[in-house]
Amino acid sequence: MEVDRADGRAPNQRRPVACTRGILHRAHGSASWAQGDTKVIAAVYGPKAGTRKNENPEKACIEIIWKPKTGQSGKPEREYEMVMKKTLQSICLLNVHPNTTTSIVIQVVNDDGALLPCAINAACAALVDAGTPLKHLAIAICCCMSENGQILLDPSKIEEQKVKSFVYLVFPNSIASVLPEGSLKSEGEIMEHGILTSVTHGVMTVDDYFSCLKLGRPAAAELSDFIRNNLKLKPGNDSSKAA
Amino acid sequence: MVGSANGATDLSSEMEVDAFRRLFPLRFHERHLLESVRPDARSLGKARETSLALGAVASADGSALAKIGCTTMLAAIKMEVMTPSKEAPDEGCVAIDFHMPPICSPIVRPGRPAEAAPVVSKHSGMIDLKELSLVSGKAAWMAYLDIYCLDADGALFDAALLAAAAAFSHLQIPVVSLNDDGRIVVVSKENGEKAKNKPVNEEKRKLKLRSIPFALTCILHKNYILADPTAEEESIMDTLITIVLDTSCQLVSLYKPGGPALAYESVLQDCIALSRQRVKELQKILNEAILDMDVD
């Protein structure tokens, strides 16, 4: 395959992923997630009593606090917080702890592209570490469209700035179930092919978007296997790196 | 109202419709969806009536009032001369602010999806920032776009984008000239004749818009796709997907922030088909509004 990426990766190759859980002593759950040089630490506090204003007290409330690497958080951070909140709300079982708030603090350690997907993956691992009841996991990846129409997976910061558009996609994880295979499909669609969250930047054709989806799915399935194996390990153990 | 097998069946069969709507909002809506109709008598894929008025704010350089059903958005643009940055000496700048005053809704929630409005219009390539340049490296236009939500009744982003696009197509760039000190001054109408300096931008009074983006928000609920939801529908069924297509049917944004329903490929195709139709409708509405403006 033709290789023209700065770090010599194939277009559909992810950067190595590393995940460590239970790194913070005082947090109820914590995890660090690194994709290449992008690294994010997530900490979960809660459930704490009471919900914030304007939230439904019959359900649990999720609060995201995004801390950038340097400086104050501005508009982009607010947007990240909002997308993450909506995404994580839809994977949590909110009826289990009504009228409580769970805070998820995201600390960016280093941003080298695909920051939001990295943060979502970190938050997911931290939620598992905290023992928060979840429906399933969310697996986030980033695809981008280069100028020559090639689709690149998991771009670095330099690639992200060069390309004309990029897509953040979040899928549910692949489910390993004892149930017969047909029962997991809803109307003939496999659950992990459904998009939980999609955020795009820049102009692309509709077909390009669907090509990104096609490329993203196997990558999300790989990540899903990685996270499953990682979660089987005891927290605190540094994980094996996945290529 | 005939209930299905549910705990509330016996109650709902003898309840008034309004009470039923308040007590069991989800069942009220699902009962409508079964009949492929919505409480406001629209079919599922139909958007609300949309109207557009250009030049709503006389003191602004460009403005528009967009209404989609009850959702009302006012967009206004103010042009100012600024010194361009060193990195982009021949580009202007667009600064976008979205306001949701307490008047628009009983619950003003800051940080709504419409906050993403600036992201979209910048990346869509609607405006060539080079067009906003006056003197390379010395002066360029700064366009302050303010969008006010006057009535928030669902599909805020669609209305905000429509208002913004209309305001830019209404925009009349003020005439400016270079004075003796090499500074840019605005040529006002009264002293227009006696100004000895030739205006810099006499022929560049209108922005050339490359391709205008239009948005359609849909609700995904079970197997149903509801186009252009009202605030009530948004609060009950909370999987929203916003698709922004431009006039050449390129995808500008596909925004789905979580939600209990998953978007499968077939669903996405259906949503995109709905947006394509909507783009044509909105384009017609915008063109008519511009024509009306020219006649006046």
Side-chain angles (χ1 to χ4, degrees):
Chain A
M1 200 175 279
E2 184 193 347
V3 179
D4 53 357
R5 297 177 77 165
D7 45 8
R9 278 187 288 156
N12 62 347
Q13 195 183 351
R14 286 181 294 109
R15 289 172 290 180
V17 180
C19 171
T20 318
R21 282 179 299 129
I23 48 167
L24 299 178
H25 171 58
R26 295 296 306 273
H28 297 127
S30 61
S32 79
W33 183 279
Q35 288 175 215
D37 287 335
T38 305
K39 190 177 178 186
V40 170
I41 296 177
V44 174
Y45 291 90
K48 297 174 281 190
T51 51
R52 292 203 305 177
K53 209 179 148 198
N54 287 339
E55 297 280 350
N56 183 359
E58 286 176 20
K59 287 186 173 178
C61 162
I62 288 183
E63 172 191 51
I64 310 281
I65 301 158
W66 184 288
K67 293 284 176 195
K69 189 180 174 188
T70 51
Q72 296 272 310
S73 60
K75 258 189 186 169
E77 282 77 22
R78 288 256 302 281
E79 203 188 317
Y80 287 153
E81 282 179 1
M82 208 177 58
V83 173
M84 278 193 73
K85 183 182 164 186
K86 294 249 178 90
T87 307
L88 296 176
Q89 256 179 351
S90 53
I91 64 161
C92 288
L93 290 165
L94 299 173
N95 294 323
V96 178
H97 306 295
N99 200 15
T100 60
T101 303
T102 303
S103 305
I104 301 167
V105 187
I106 302 289
Q107 174 66 57
V108 179
V109 180
N110 191 28
D111 176 12
D112 187 30
L115 186 60
L116 183 64
C118 192
I120 291 177
N121 292 331
C124 241
L127 281 171
V128 171
D129 191 42
T132 312
L134 302 176
K135 282 184 228 166
H136 49 77
L137 298 174
I139 310 289
I141 49 133
C142 177
C143 295
C144 67
M145 296 287 314
S146 65
E147 293 288 350
N148 55 15
Q150 209 172 24
I151 298 172
L152 309 174
L153 196 68
D154 194 16
S156 65
K157 188 86 183 169
I158 302 162
E159 285 174 319
E160 225 170 48
Q161 281 160 353
K162 264 196 303 194
V163 294
K164 74 177 172 144
S165 53
F166 56 92
V167 189
Y168 297 144
L169 293 169
V170 185
F171 297 97
N173 68 327
S174 348
I175 290 174
S177 168
V178 290
L179 293 171
E181 229 165 74
S183 61
L184 288 173
K185 296 182 180 181
S186 59
E187 280 92 43
E189 307 264 18
I190 308 160
M191 186 182 151
E192 61 248 38
H193 284 188
I195 302 170
L196 201 61
T197 298
S198 154
V199 179
T200 71
H201 289 264
V203 186
M204 68 187 91
T205 63
V206 174
D207 291 341
D208 283 345
Y209 183 82
F210 285 106
S211 320
C212 283
L213 272 188
K214 278 210 184 71
L215 192 73
R217 269 190 217 126
E222 269 174 48
L223 267 185
S224 168
D225 291 341
F226 166 77
I227 213 173
R228 181 182 298 281
N229 288 329
N230 188 272
L231 294 181
K232 282 181 192 158
L233 299 172
K234 259 194 196 156
N237 284 3
D238 205 332
S239 68
S240 55
K241 287 199 171 186
Chain B
M1 196 58 60
V2 189
S4 54
N6 195 307
T9 315
D10 19 319
L11 243 178
S12 59
S13 54
E14 51 205 71
M15 200 187 286
E16 279 179 35
V17 175
D18 268 351
F20 184 71
R21 184 178 194 159
R22 283 185 179 249
L23 289 172
F24 307 105
L26 186 61
R27 281 192 49 206
F28 175 81
H29 278 84
E30 279 180 346
R31 186 75 186 80
H32 277 85
L33 292 179
L34 270 180
E35 312 285 331
S36 297
V37 74
R38 287 155 78 172
D40 52 4
R42 275 187 288 160
S43 61
L44 301 196
K46 203 169 177 324
R48 288 168 288 175
E49 201 163 298
T50 307
S51 67
L52 196 55
L54 299 185
V57 184
S59 60
D61 297 312
S63 61
L65 183 77
K67 274 190 89 133
I68 298 180
C70 285
T71 305
T72 314
M73 289 281 174
L74 181 67
I77 303 167
K78 190 89 188 148
M79 302 292 278
E80 256 176 40
V81 178
M82 58 135 193
T83 319
S85 64
K86 286 216 171 66
E87 293 89 63
D90 43 37
E91 279 186 10
C93 190
V94 180
I96 305 173
D97 252 324
F98 178 76
H99 306 269
M100 266 184 88
I103 196 174
C104 69
S105 151
I107 27 161
V108 177
R109 289 152 291 182
R112 290 279 318 217
E115 285 281 341
V119 183
V120 168
S121 39
K122 256 182 219 163
H123 289 265
S124 70
M126 173 172 88
I127 302 152
D128 188 357
L129 292 176
K130 293 209 165 74
E131 289 232 347
L132 292 170
S133 172
L134 284 165
V135 183
S136 180
K138 287 265 174 58
W141 285 114
M142 175 91 177
Y144 289 98
L145 169 63
D146 285 278
I147 305 169
Y148 286 89
C149 178
L150 302 181
D151 193 349
D153 189 22
L156 299 184
F157 185 83
D158 305 12
L161 189 62
L162 179 65
F168 270 112
S169 27
H170 173 250
L171 179 66
Q172 282 271 343
I173 299 175
V175 182
V176 290
S177 68
L178 273 174
N179 70 3
D180 301 333
D181 315 331
R183 282 173 169 271
I184 296 279
V185 285
V186 176
V187 180
S188 58
K189 271 182 190 131
E190 302 88 66
N191 59 10
E193 274 94 321
K194 34 182 177 161
K196 45 190 183 296
N197 296 314
K198 214 175 152 277
V200 193
N201 61 341
E202 210 160 12
E203 69 281 16
K204 275 166 70 181
R205 298 291 311 281
K206 277 263 173 201
L207 271 186
K208 262 195 229 92
L209 300 180
R210 273 188 281 189
S211 61
I212 301 172
F214 294 107
L216 179 69
T217 300
C218 295
I219 283 186
L220 306 182
H221 182 73
K222 293 186 177 163
N223 296 323
Y224 305 107
I225 300 173
L226 286 81
D228 189 23
T230 61
E232 190 190 359
E233 287 168 335
E234 276 183 7
S235 66
I236 294 161
M237 302 170 276
D238 45 16
T239 310
L240 291 169
I241 179 163
T242 303
I243 294 176
V244 185
L245 294 173
D246 66 12
T247 37
S248 50
C249 274
Q250 296 254 69
L251 187 71
V252 176
S253 163
L254 198 152
Y255 181 72
K256 178 184 183 285
L262 297 172
Y264 296 105
E265 213 167 305
S266 55
V267 176
L268 284 180
Q269 295 280 16
D270 291 346
C271 289
I272 290 172
L274 282 173
S275 326
R276 285 211 173 104
Q277 278 175 25
R278 182 70 175 152
V279 166
K280 283 188 195 126
E281 281 172 37
L282 290 175
Q283 204 177 357
K284 202 170 143 234
I285 290 167
L286 180 60
N287 285 341
E288 274 168 10
I290 293 171
L291 278 180
D292 281 354
M293 191 68 201
D294 290 343
V295 169
D296 293 343

